[in-house]
Amino acid sequence: MSYAIRTVGVVGGGTMGGGIAALVARSNRPVTVKEMNSDLAKKTENDIYGRFQKWFDLNKIDRNTLEQLRSYVTVTCEIQDLAGVDLVIEAIPENMEWKKQLFAELDRIMPAYVILESNTSSLPITEIGRATNRPDKVVGAHFFNPPTTMKLVELVRGADTSDDTLDTAQKFARNTLSKITIRVVDRPGFLVNCLLLPYLGEAVLSLETNEVPFEAIDAEATKFGWPMGPFGVLDVVGLDTAYFVAEFLSRAYPEKIQLGTLFKALVDAGRLGEKSGVGFYDTKGSHEPLSVFLQRIYGPRPTVSAQEIFERMKARFLNESVQALQDGVTSKNEIETGAKIGIGFPKDGPLHYVDEIGAGNLVEKLRDFESVLGSRFAPTKLLVDMTER
């Protein structure tokens, strides 16, 4: 049986944690944010208040609402201050050992009924939950950045997560936070990142092996209907964050994700995207052009059209969408919802688009790419079966 969530704790006040805390406050729920030390606590408080002030300056809220939102937020560096909340959402960096240590500590201080959520984008919920004595009360709640505007939440059911826990988490996300939710199984990358990383990874790999302007690939993506091109997305997400997830998923799915070396080269060079002022794009115009950077590292490469590269990326995204259906990650409708709401796939969703272009045509294209570029383009069994019906 689900229960009412009236107060919330958030552990980690960075970009995601601070955004989730602001979202909770905007939903008229008191929220306590736990940071590592007093300096970070003050910074987090200023950042969250700054979000509210920006909403006021843009006339999205009035003065009374501004003061009310501030009153809902408490920032602390003492974990015991979370002991009175009804739900805890973890939003610390993607490090399994850190998360397990945190969940074990939360388990010791929280009442037995309290649900513990992890905002991890890729790490196994089952393993996190088994660091506690309440694995049935542990669930994944993967918010998307920024949490105050992105509508999707992936709810990840671990092997031990109870029906009541999942129902309560879904009710809170939908009814209180006004989110669209999808339920997915616990596997590395869940649904959305398993669709997105092969697509983005193919884009990055193409720059290592081909002479092709990255801006032209982005233009092909937006022409197709994506809200942003792959390199714009990576700059917003952060190359360091994307590299961590890509490295993790390349170990989980070595047959699907060929990581290459460019991700790490960019991170090592400090080209982290918008957070550092330069990634693929240079927002300040004061860094080495990417074309020069690539030429210096990889030398001359064959010239390939941006349209060809985008066709490879699109084929991989569609194939992974069918793979998710084959693997029972979630339902057909929720795959479509996750792709459209979570990452902006155009049309009616990837599975509808496969039907539109024809499974046989997609299989033929994948096999053409596979013959030249390797097994990461191998069509999934379900897709092949669709051509034989």
Side-chain angles (χ1 to χ4, degrees):
M1 180 182 296
S2 64
Y3 65 91
I5 294 172
R6 299 181 178 86
T7 58
V8 177
V10 175
V11 182
T15 300
M16 288 301 297
I20 292 169
L23 171 68
V24 171
R26 193 178 67 188
S27 304
N28 299 312
R29 293 292 189 277
V31 57
T32 300
V33 184
K34 194 274 178 186
E35 266 296 2
M36 291 181 64
N37 55 54
S38 57
D39 289 342
L40 281 174
K42 188 61 180 176
K43 179 182 183 303
T44 293
E45 182 180 75
N46 290 339
D47 288 347
I48 295 172
Y49 285 2
R51 291 171 187 262
F52 300 154
Q53 184 65 46
K54 185 176 180 181
W55 295 346
F56 174 76
D57 293 342
L58 293 172
N59 296 316
K60 293 182 176 180
I61 58 174
D62 59 23
R63 174 67 65 179
N64 287 338
T65 303
L66 174 63
E67 296 305 321
Q68 183 181 48
L69 289 173
R70 287 175 172 168
S71 73
Y72 280 144
V73 177
T74 301
V75 185
T76 180
C77 55
E78 300 295 333
I79 197 166
Q80 290 80 6
D81 292 339
L82 298 176
V85 305
D86 300 316
L87 168 73
V88 179
I89 305 172
E90 167 269 312
I92 68 172
E94 293 283 77
N95 181 298
M96 177 57 83
E97 290 309 310
W98 295 355
K99 290 183 189 290
K100 287 163 67 173
Q101 290 169 16
L102 172 62
F103 273 71
E105 187 172 8
L106 290 169
D107 183 47
R108 286 193 292 272
I109 68 170
M110 304 305 297
Y113 68 88
V114 173
I115 289 173
L116 308 178
E117 294 185 351
S118 175
N119 180 54
T120 178
S121 61
S122 55
L123 298 177
I125 296 301
T126 300
E127 185 174 350
I128 294 171
R130 289 178 180 174
T132 75
N133 292 310
R134 66 178 87 192
D136 60 311
K137 296 286 186 182
V138 176
V139 64
H142 177 210
F143 291 78
F144 291 76
N145 191 31
T148 50
T149 57
M150 293 295 284
K151 296 297 291 181
L152 188 73
V153 175
E154 280 185 299
L155 294 176
V156 186
R157 181 174 201 154
D160 308 303
T161 306
S162 70
D163 290 342
D164 285 350
T165 295
L166 197 60
D167 290 344
T168 301
Q170 185 166 49
K171 183 177 179 180
F172 178 71
R174 284 183 174 178
N175 298 349
T176 302
L177 303 182
S178 301
K179 295 299 184 183
I180 296 168
T181 63
I182 59 173
R183 295 185 176 195
V184 301
V185 301
D186 188 17
R187 67 166 187 170
F190 314 133
L191 172 68
V192 173
N193 276 338
C194 279
L195 303 186
L196 189 59
L197 257 296
Y199 169 85
L200 296 177
E202 196 63 38
V204 175
L205 192 62
S206 72
L207 301 185
E208 293 186 29
T209 55
N210 303 280
E211 293 272 6
V212 56
F214 75 92
E215 304 95 333
I217 299 173
D218 272 1
E220 288 292 327
T222 54
K223 187 195 306 183
F224 178 70
W226 285 97
M228 295 180 71
F231 301 106
V233 169
L234 286 164
D235 274 0
V236 170
V237 169
L239 272 293
D240 50 346
T241 301
Y243 174 61
F244 174 86
V245 177
E247 188 178 39
F248 176 76
L249 292 184
S250 71
R251 293 195 301 270
Y253 308 110
E255 75 285 358
K256 294 182 184 179
I257 299 178
Q258 184 177 333
L259 190 58
T261 61
L262 181 54
F263 258 127
K264 187 173 188 304
L266 290 165
V267 172
D268 288 347
R271 300 180 72 120
L272 306 182
E274 289 185 354
K275 67 176 74 176
S276 66
V278 62
F280 293 98
Y281 291 92
D282 182 358
T283 58
K284 298 179 180 178
S286 58
H287 295 81
E288 180 181 46
L290 185 67
S291 58
V292 176
F293 180 87
L294 293 169
Q295 183 71 23
R296 179 164 53 80
I297 296 176
Y298 299 109
R301 286 146 289 148
T303 300
V304 176
S305 72
Q307 183 178 13
E308 166 75 6
I309 297 301
F310 182 67
E311 285 300 314
R312 297 178 192 174
M313 294 161 52
K314 184 170 65 174
R316 295 208 60 202
F317 190 95
L318 297 175
N319 196 38
E320 288 301 321
S321 300
V322 177
Q323 183 77 53
L325 185 62
Q326 176 182 304
D327 292 346
V329 176
T330 188
S331 69
K332 178 177 180 178
N333 287 341
E334 294 202 321
I335 290 171
E336 302 293 66
T337 298
K340 290 188 296 180
I341 305 301
I343 46 181
F345 185 87
K347 322 297 182 186
D348 292 321
L351 299 178
H352 280 85
Y353 188 67
V354 171
D355 287 343
E356 181 183 325
I357 64 174
N361 291 327
L362 179 56
V363 167
E364 182 179 352
K365 184 167 290 189
L366 284 163
R367 283 177 170 158
D368 286 345
F369 290 143
E370 183 185 15
S371 67
V372 177
L373 298 167
S375 61
R376 68 184 186 275
F377 285 94
T380 187
K381 180 180 184 301
L382 177 58
L383 187 62
V384 174
D385 289 347
M386 290 167 63
T387 68
E388 297 172 353
R389 291 173 185 170

